[in-house]
Amino acid sequence: MSGSVLVAPSLLAADFADLGAEMARAEAAGADWHHVDVMDGHFVPNLTIGPPVVAALARRAAVPLDVHLMIERPAEWAERYAEAGADRLTFHYEAAADFPAALEAFAATGRPVGVAVDPPCGVEPLRPFLDRIDLVLVMSVKAGFGGQSFRPEVLAKVEQLRSWGFAGRIEMDGGIDDRTAPRCRAAGADVLVSGSWLFGREDMAAGVATLRGGPA
Ligand code: DX5
Ligand code: ZN
């Protein structure tokens, strides 16, 4: 595990009428990445943005775009999102009918390969493929909506991945705040996504520092 914990504010909780300004606010607060939630209304019931908006965000972003694809048939879209300007791409294990083929399609984009699992999905199916995965996103809520409560039972999956020697990034997303972040870090997560808690801070920089932990 790398020693540094990265913080990725989720733009899902930002003002969608002013995304450029919201990205600047997150960057000024010390955000390491922008977390961008792409939802297709099929894999998850909610609907957000697609490649044109990702491209617009990429033109304005000063830190990497961490694009979380909550979409069906992710392999068919990997290249489109990479071309749009996603710096990092994460797709859901549950959404890929042919997982090895999806891994290949995402690796072919040249971007780090991220794989997400929703709370009911274990990490055992990922184990044979971990040498081809740069980041595992352990969802701490069911993907689809911001503002849900953290599900502590998923922490065991983070510990399991580290016990197997997985040295890539482990990201957690959903219900991350000042109380749940220390538990995520202790389990071995090193990328923390936060939407409603972080964007709800008057002092977002203090919020980012709190989530990152360690010396201020
Ligand atoms: C949920 C998204 C999250 C969401 C997190 O499906 O993947 O990124 O924005 O929001 P909070 O931090 O409010 O739980
Ligand atoms: Zn997300």
Side-chain angles (χ1 to χ4, degrees):
M1 179 181 29
S2 105
S4 62
V5 173
L6 305 181
V7 176
S10 171
L11 288 169
L12 187 65
D15 176 0
F16 267 44
D18 216 352
L19 287 171
E22 293 282 62
M23 284 198 297
R25 181 183 167 215
E27 288 162 10
D32 295 288
W33 300 345
H34 293 296
H35 185 80
V36 178
D37 289 300
V38 172
M39 306 187 189
D40 67 353
H42 293 275
F43 177 66
V44 291
N46 203 1
L47 184 64
T48 55
I49 62 168
V53 179
V54 171
L57 296 175
R59 286 194 288 272
R60 294 280 289 274
V63 300
L65 289 188
D66 173 41
V67 177
H68 176 193
L69 297 173
M70 287 162 272
I71 62 174
E72 287 182 348
R73 299 187 302 281
E76 294 173 29
W77 290 89
E79 189 53 41
R80 292 272 289 279
Y81 280 98
E83 272 171 19
D87 296 289
R88 322 186 48 97
L89 287 164
T90 298
F91 68 98
H92 270 260
Y93 173 80
E94 307 91 325
D98 182 342
F99 182 63
L103 274 182
E104 217 167 290
F106 279 84
T109 66
R111 306 299 191 271
V113 176
V115 178
V117 286
D118 251 339
C121 181
V123 286
E124 292 82 5
L126 305 186
R127 192 170 183 179
F129 303 99
L130 286 176
D131 57 339
R132 294 159 64 187
I133 297 174
D134 298 290
L135 174 149
V136 178
L137 169 50
V138 175
M139 291 299 297
S140 35
V141 298
K142 183 173 169 43
F145 296 93
Q148 305 179 69
S149 300
F150 184 81
R151 294 172 61 161
E153 70 272 16
V154 306
L155 289 166
K157 292 193 276 189
V158 177
E159 288 163 0
Q160 205 171 7
L161 286 163
R162 291 303 184 204
S163 77
W164 294 337
F166 180 65
R169 292 273 177 195
I170 300 182
E171 181 173 42
M172 293 187 75
D173 180 8
I176 307 290
D177 60 21
D178 53 343
R179 289 169 307 113
T180 56
R183 302 180 70 182
C184 301
R185 296 193 305 262
D190 57 5
V191 184
L192 299 181
V193 175
S194 176
S196 44
W197 186 79
L198 209 43
F199 275 93
R201 300 290 91 197
E202 208 171 301
D203 184 349
M204 193 191 271
V208 169
T210 298
L211 296 183
R212 202 189 306 282

